[in-house]
Amino acid sequence: MTGWPANFLSLRRIAAAVVLGLAFWLIRSFMIPLIWAAVFAIANWPLYRRCARHVPQAMRAHVLPLAFSILITFLVLGPIVFAFAILARQSQAWLTEISIMDTGGLLAPSWLRATPMVGTRLADAWNSAAGAPGGLSALLGRVEDSSLLRSLQSVGHLIAYHAFVVAITVVALVFFFRRGEELAKALAHRIDEQIGRPAGKFIEVAVAALRATLQSMVLVGLIDGIGMGILYATAHIPSPIAWGAVTGILAMLPFIGYFAVAAVCVSQLAHDATASALLVGAVGFVVLFSMDKFVRPMLMAKGARLDFLGALMGTVGGLQTFGLLGIFIGPMIVAVGKAMLHEWLTQLSIETEALSPPEGGLHDAGQARTLQA
């Protein structure tokens, strides 16, 4: 206990720590929506302030925060709902085709038989398994019967949970927009008192990284959507504009856009369009991989003060560690860590120069002693 402040373990501090711990434990289910609300509020705060300048004073307290929160919710959820609606409609079409083919035994597609060397054997094995009693058709029926109820329950729980997250996020977003100026000033003042002025600079770095991450997501999704839409139209994919929009929306998140490309490839293979499926698969993989691994980190590095490797590690590492929120949190942590390291190295260099003797100092001191002798 030597060297600690006398009141470090005072009763008031212990009580405050216990109460704060209980408070965080009670609201643990609300932490994810609160973090999402904070992310969207910080990312869109400059736009909100510009809008507030052109709104009457009577509307700034209640109407503008609510309207802005609802607008952000629709802008975020609208494209996602649209993308999943397209995928659900395509899945329904696949199920219809499978049920039609099931009457004929789910025969092997023609492209499988055309595969060099092993195509004929694979097609014959497919057809024999599909036509045999208890074969592929019965297997699909058993899988469908056994997993249908569990799938419906899982989907119901998933929808209920995300509806709860969206509702709490909207409510918290309204609060952040209403009290954002007060919260920012109080937080900055408290940080300056407890930590010092450099902490404010680190917060600015974190905010810049967050906004750069969001901007890179929008730009990458837009570029991927336009590029893949042109590719789909070139390959004569049905509804190329809709599928291009779906690919762009899903490609805003790392590694998710590949599912849209895979869906298009599977649909083409089911209709014996092997050439277009291979073209879409190969070119789509190259485009999405390049945007995820090179263009996205380059766009982030420009605004987040990160180099290419730092932006890439922040995005991928954050996604692996924190899930979807890690796409925003990861680059922030890496950017702040880099700023702290740079500050520490700069301070260390200044202290080293201050302690080291000036150049030629030892030589001049030796000459002085010689003259004294």
Side-chain angles (χ1 to χ4, degrees):
M1 301 294 291
T2 304
W4 286 14
N7 62 342
F8 183 79
L9 292 179
S10 63
L11 183 60
R12 186 173 62 181
R13 288 177 178 269
I14 295 176
V18 171
V19 171
L20 287 177
L22 287 175
F24 278 108
W25 181 75
L26 288 174
I27 66 171
R28 64 190 185 279
S29 300
F30 297 87
M31 292 305 298
I32 298 298
L34 289 176
I35 295 174
W36 275 117
V39 166
F40 287 124
I42 294 172
N44 296 279
W45 189 254
L47 180 60
Y48 176 79
R49 294 186 65 180
R50 284 196 293 268
C51 292
R53 297 192 189 104
H54 304 285
V55 172
Q57 183 68 31
M59 300 177 60
R60 295 180 186 176
H62 301 284
V63 178
L64 184 61
L66 179 61
F68 217 80
S69 301
I70 295 175
L71 179 62
I72 291 176
T73 303
F74 277 108
L75 289 177
V76 173
L77 293 182
I80 296 176
V81 172
F82 170 77
F84 279 98
I86 295 292
L87 293 177
R89 187 177 64 182
Q90 183 62 46
S91 301
Q92 185 178 5
W94 288 343
L95 291 176
T96 303
E97 293 178 0
I98 290 175
S99 63
I100 293 174
M101 288 189 298
D102 186 52
T103 59
L106 286 172
L107 298 179
S110 59
W111 59 266
L112 182 62
R113 187 174 294 276
T115 304
M117 299 180 66
V118 296
T120 303
R121 293 182 180 179
L122 291 177
D124 292 339
W126 179 307
N127 293 333
S128 62
L136 185 59
S137 301
L139 177 60
L140 290 176
R142 288 196 301 268
V143 170
E144 181 179 0
D145 293 337
S146 62
S147 61
L148 179 59
L149 183 58
R150 290 196 299 270
S151 299
L152 290 177
Q153 291 176 346
S154 300
V155 170
H157 292 160
L158 187 66
I159 293 175
Y161 171 75
H162 283 89
F164 165 78
V165 171
V166 170
I168 300 301
T169 301
V170 173
V171 174
L173 197 57
V174 174
F175 171 79
F176 285 143
F177 281 135
R178 286 182 59 190
R179 308 292 298 275
E181 293 284 355
E182 301 175 15
L183 291 174
K185 291 179 181 179
L187 182 62
H189 179 71
R190 194 63 180 170
I191 288 176
D192 289 343
E193 285 184 349
Q194 297 295 326
I195 303 178
R197 187 60 187 167
K201 182 169 62 177
F202 297 146
I203 292 178
E204 293 176 358
V205 171
V207 171
L210 174 61
R211 291 172 180 165
T213 301
L214 185 62
Q215 293 171 1
S216 68
M217 289 175 59
V218 175
L219 289 176
V220 166
L222 185 62
I223 296 173
D224 280 340
I226 294 174
M228 294 305 298
I230 295 173
L231 175 62
Y232 294 152
T234 304
H236 303 288
I237 304 298
S239 304
I241 297 178
W243 277 110
V246 170
T247 306
I249 292 168
L250 296 181
M252 293 175 64
L253 304 177
F255 313 112
I256 305 299
Y258 298 102
F259 290 102
V261 176
V264 174
C265 293
V266 170
S267 178
Q268 291 301 102
L269 289 175
H271 292 87
D272 292 333
T274 310
S276 62
L278 293 177
L279 175 64
V280 169
V283 178
F285 176 81
V286 172
V287 170
L288 295 181
F289 183 84
S290 301
M291 297 299 294
D292 273 338
K293 294 298 187 294
F294 300 101
V295 179
R296 188 191 303 271
M298 288 173 60
L299 293 173
M300 289 175 54
K302 185 177 180 180
R305 305 175 189 177
L306 288 174
D307 54 9
F308 171 79
L309 183 60
L312 179 62
M313 291 189 300
T315 303
V316 178
L319 183 64
Q320 291 176 343
T321 306
F322 302 104
L324 194 58
L325 269 174
I327 298 175
F328 303 94
I329 297 177
M332 290 175 56
I333 295 176
V334 175
V336 173
K338 180 183 177 182
M340 288 182 174
L341 180 62
H342 178 73
E343 183 80 15
W344 179 71
L345 292 176
T346 302
Q347 186 67 27
L348 184 63
S349 176
I350 294 174
E351 293 176 356
T352 303
E353 291 179 359
L355 292 175
S356 61
E359 186 177 353
L362 294 178
H363 181 67
D364 295 340
Q367 287 184 346
R369 285 194 298 269
T370 302
L371 292 175
Q372 291 177 358

